[in-house]
Amino acid sequence: MDATTQRRWGDQMLALLAANTTQMADREYVQPVADYVDPGHARRERDLLFRRTPLIVAASDELARPGEFRTVDIDGMSAVIVRQDDGSLRAFHNVCRHRGCRVVDAECGTARTFTCKFHSWVYGGDGTLRHVPMAEGFPGIDRAQRGLVPLPVAERHGLVWLLPTAGLELDLDAFLGPMGPCLAQLKMEDAAVFRFERFPEKMNWKLVVDTFLELYHLPYLHTKTVGRFIEGKGALHEQFGPHSRFIAPRKSFVPALRDIPPEQRDVAEHSVVINRVFPNGIVIWQRDHVEFWTAVPDGDDPNRCMVRLWLLSPEKVVSEAERVRWDKNWEILRGTVQVEDFPMARTIQQGFSSGAQDHVIFGRNELGLHEFHRSLKEALAAA
Ligand code: FES
Ligand SMILES: [Fe+2]
């Protein structure tokens, strides 16, 4: 983080903490429950957010060498992303041009070609159709026109974004705006994926994102875990178009920085930075590492989603001692969210489906939730 930003954060966060408060919205935010349970709303979200918006789908490190590929399924569509010999990335619909089968089943791997299991049509890593068995059966096809259907893909700041509709233009820098430099600061392009996991959850995808957007619950739900290390207040929010981030003070913030001249304060050292990348990404900077989460709807049921979690280490973990340390980081991360946050979110989803109430309320102190849900509302209204 640059010195000017750190100084501003330091002044404002110390003032908030001294006043025993956090940055507030002007008023509470009324959030309709229907947005989490209504199939019609889920379809509108799919058509706009999960088809026509760039989505984080991988870390660059997972596709480091030519021939490395990853498949990703997003709410009823499947794509395969492949590192090319020239270092660029290409993405394709994971759909055979013969009769339409899924071509690549593996989640990741290295391959020069992809062979469809049904009738063994073979595609190159560049998507071109390379081989058709019993070719005399297809005298009329133009092979050059029968490659895998390309999808827009882009790579920035160590992350890979996919735009899941063929033919759309992907201008990632314009999409990210000022969020781009925020992500660049995290140095993810130098990092290695220590672990990746994908798991289904019985909740609307937005509840996964909601989990990370307020500190209000830390001293109550997380008394034995992160609540011991991070303040439940003192957060500072910044909005960048549809994206936002907030800076959360660690418990060490006040004791370490209170008596230090502003220009000498290492604010970042005593903070956690939570970047929300529209529509469904959470990128958390934790001083010595970054973790990022995405959630996508899983089928037509608004009560289900697929969660993906990556833990990045600054360098590839090779020694056993390092592995033990990073395993511990993973356990803390997975444990806190899995054992404490997501059980709450599952009951919220159940409560939403019960018809008990038609709205919930986000307090003035839950500004991150206001920003997230307002950005969704605005995007859907503009579509
Ligand atoms: S559907 Fe793929 S080869 Fe026939
Ligand atoms: Fe939490």
Side-chain angles (χ1 to χ4, degrees), residues 9 54 63 68 104 135 195 205 215-216 240 274 300 334 343 368 376:
W9 287 356
L63 293 154
E68 281 192 313
V104 190
R195 195 168 296 172
W205 68 275
L215 301 180
Y216 187 25
F240 310 110
I274 294 106
D300 282 338
R334 200 66 174 84
L376 295 174

Side-chain angles (χ1 to χ4, degrees), residues 264-312:
Q264 288 171 24
R265 289 184 200 134
D266 189 350
V267 172
E269 178 65 19
H270 301 282
S271 305
V272 176
V273 184
I274 294 106
N275 300 273
R276 181 183 58 79
V277 184
F278 185 84
N280 69 334
I282 293 283
V283 182
I284 303 176
W285 179 83
Q286 295 258 36
R287 233 167 20 182
D288 64 342
H289 70 271
V290 172
E291 72 206 38
F292 65 96
W293 299 76
T294 66
V296 299
D298 189 14
D300 282 338
D301 183 355
N303 301 290
R304 285 172 33 214
C305 70
M306 186 61 75
V307 183
R308 292 180 173 88
L309 165 62
W310 291 258
L311 174 61
L312 304 182

